[in-house]
Amino acid sequence: MIKRVSFLRRKEGLSKEEFFTHWTGPHADIVSQLPGVRGLRFGRVQSWSPEDATWDGVGEVWFDSIEDAHKAFATEPFHSMLVEDRKKFMREAQSCFVTELTVIAPPSEA
């Protein structure tokens, strides 16, 4: 499996709570419908180093492959829905694809 990790900044004028509520609500509803989604997780940033980076959230979405992820995010009507929805709560995002090697699993995942 491959994981797409996204770092997000909230739209100006939105509180952190408004941002997180929309991201984990209406936006999650769209992402969870993407074809081939194997997992979805949201992280609320508590602090960042260096402070000027100031991302508000870290999202994780799993797919079988990078190609499957690209295909899913390009699939209509989801692509158009995501483009429009991002305008409501997101100022900026950056993403990357990663593979994981777990050395010690957190207690909730052990």
Side-chain angles (χ1 to χ4, degrees):
M1 264 197 303
I2 194 79
K3 179 168 68 171
R4 181 179 188 244
V5 179
S6 299
F7 301 93
L8 287 73
R9 285 193 181 99
R10 70 185 184 274
K11 184 177 177 178
E12 294 198 26
L14 282 185
S15 70
K16 289 183 179 185
E17 190 59 38
E18 290 169 324
F19 164 80
F20 203 75
T21 297
H22 186 93
W23 185 35
T24 61
H27 192 75
D29 291 342
I30 300 168
V31 174
S32 65
Q33 296 178 62
L34 291 173
V37 169
R38 302 280 301 246
L40 178 60
R41 180 181 291 158
F42 298 94
R44 185 188 307 237
V45 172
Q46 300 299 309
S47 67
W48 201 275
S49 179
E51 286 186 29
D52 63 345
T54 62
W55 295 104
D56 295 298
V58 179
E60 300 171 286
V61 186
W62 285 262
F63 293 91
D64 287 330
S65 68
I66 293 174
E67 295 76 21
D68 286 348
H70 287 309
K71 182 178 176 183
F73 281 99
T75 300
E76 291 296 348
F78 308 111
H79 173 76
S80 295
M81 293 166 67
L82 288 168
V83 168
E84 287 304 310
D85 191 59
R86 288 175 183 140
K87 295 175 187 176
K88 297 175 184 175
F89 74 103
M90 188 187 310
R91 175 174 34 135
E92 180 183 0
Q94 293 183 5
S95 299
C96 63
F97 288 99
V98 301
T99 54
E100 296 181 312
L101 170 63
T102 301
V103 175
I104 299 172
S108 64
E109 296 180 8

